[in-house]
Amino acid sequence: MNIFTKEIKANSKSLVIWCIGILAMIGGGMSKFAAYSNSGESMNELLKVIPKSLLNIMGLSSFDLTKAIEFYGVLFLYLILISSIHAVILGANIIAKEENEKTAEFLFTKPISRSKVITLKLLAAFFNIFILNMVTFVLSFFIVNYFNKGDEILENIAILMVGMFIVQFLFMCIGSMLASATKKPHSAASTASGILLVTFILSMIINMNDKLENLKYITPFKYFEAESVLFGKGLNFHFILLSALIITVSLYSTYMFYKKRDLNI
């Protein structure tokens, strides 16, 4: 039984749907760029009279909407949200599915350890988020470049995709940890998604109030913001280390909890 191949096939249709969603987001979002850019500086002047808190919620805080790559920076906030939702649901479901579908008894009567099952499942989930990330990268480059006016965008988009992939992987691991730890596997995906949305809302609240800046360490959506990458700061090394720590703890917890739990057969 090739668990890895089985999981890839089982999630292939879902992956295609998520890729189509990414295409719709990038294509639909950048198609509006032409309208904004035709308005010239008038759009930027209009943004100056909008309250900063509202601009932060909308992801428009310091971007020049007459430049394609900066307009894309606005979209990136929602792309990373979409890809993270996909990752956290995938991470939870790929661990919990055997109990949810009542196939755990069949799977674990085979001569294969729980650790190996988890490893193969996580590799399949990793493959899925990697493909979604690569699709996002290719679509982003070609669509943004279509509207671009001579600016170098490949490096910026590539760095943004690296940041996005780290956040995807982080949430995938959190989802798998929750699915391994909970006694109600059918609720793991909704719980993991709830945690993700709370951290996303927290990132919006932090943007609205500078006094809450120190809370940025507990929300991954503040780790690799488009604003930092596009304005020359790149990826923050401290956030990379923090992400690696969260991923390591989540993966270790996934194995530890799942090996000790009584499966709901």
Side-chain angles (χ1 to χ4, degrees):
M1 178 188 298
N2 194 327
I3 297 174
F4 177 82
T5 303
K6 177 177 176 291
E7 294 294 346
I8 293 297
K9 291 181 179 179
N11 290 287
S12 59
K13 291 182 180 179
S14 173
L15 179 60
V16 170
I17 293 173
W18 283 97
C19 288
I20 292 173
I22 290 291
L23 172 61
M25 173 62 72
I26 300 173
M30 290 305 299
S31 66
K32 298 177 181 178
F33 171 72
Y36 285 124
S37 60
N38 288 337
S39 67
E41 292 301 320
S42 60
M43 175 55 66
N44 290 327
E45 291 298 323
L46 176 62
L47 293 180
K48 291 180 181 179
V49 302
I50 299 177
K52 183 179 179 181
S53 58
L54 181 58
L55 291 177
N56 288 331
I57 293 175
M58 298 169 64
L60 301 173
S61 56
S62 57
F63 292 112
D64 182 353
L65 298 186
T66 64
K67 295 181 179 180
I69 187 61
E70 294 193 33
F71 191 92
Y72 175 77
V74 177
L75 292 179
F76 181 74
L77 173 65
Y78 304 99
L79 292 176
I80 199 171
L81 174 62
I82 292 172
S83 62
S84 297
I85 292 173
H86 166 260
V88 79
I89 292 175
L90 179 64
N93 284 341
I94 209 163
I95 297 296
K97 66 179 296 186
E98 306 302 336
E99 294 174 84
N100 290 336
E101 298 176 4
K102 305 301 180 182
T103 58
E105 185 175 13
F106 170 77
L107 177 61
F108 289 103
T109 55
K110 302 297 180 181
I112 184 172
S113 66
R114 289 193 184 188
S115 293
K116 188 173 182 180
V117 170
I118 295 171
T119 299
L120 292 172
K121 284 177 170 288
L122 290 176
L123 285 174
F126 181 88
F127 178 81
N128 273 267
I129 65 171
F130 176 76
I131 293 298
L132 184 63
N133 187 274
M134 288 295 98
V135 168
T136 305
F137 171 62
V138 172
L139 291 174
S140 296
F141 175 71
F142 283 105
I143 294 176
V144 175
N145 195 54
Y146 177 80
F147 295 98
N148 188 40
K149 296 181 180 179
D151 295 328
E152 293 293 332
I153 65 170
L154 180 60
E155 182 179 354
N156 283 330
I157 292 179
I159 296 174
L160 285 172
M161 289 302 106
V162 171
M164 189 173 90
F165 183 74
I166 294 173
V167 175
Q168 286 177 274
F169 190 30
L170 185 154
F171 276 114
M172 186 203 87
C173 294
I174 290 176
S176 67
M177 178 184 66
L178 292 174
S180 297
T182 183
K183 295 181 179 180
K184 297 180 179 179
H186 61 277
S187 66
S190 58
T191 301
S193 298
I195 292 174
L196 182 149
L197 291 176
V198 168
T199 60
F200 180 76
I201 293 172
L202 177 60
S203 71
M204 296 292 98
I205 295 175
I206 294 171
N207 287 341
M208 294 169 58
N209 190 339
D210 294 336
K211 295 181 180 179
L212 301 176
E213 183 70 13
N214 289 333
L215 294 178
K216 64 184 178 181
Y217 295 100
I218 62 176
T219 168
F221 291 103
K222 293 293 292 181
Y223 292 1
F224 311 109
E225 293 179 298
E227 185 175 352
S228 296
V229 173
L230 296 180
F231 296 150
K233 296 180 181 179
L235 302 180
N236 188 303
F237 182 70
H238 295 96
F239 285 136
I240 293 176
L241 288 179
L242 179 57
S243 299
L245 176 62
I246 295 172
I247 289 170
T248 301
V249 171
S250 298
L251 285 175
Y252 175 79
S253 300
T254 297
Y255 283 91
M256 182 184 68
F257 287 132
Y258 202 82
K259 286 191 294 185
K260 293 182 178 180
R261 67 178 294 175
D262 293 326
L263 297 177
N264 183 22
I265 298 177

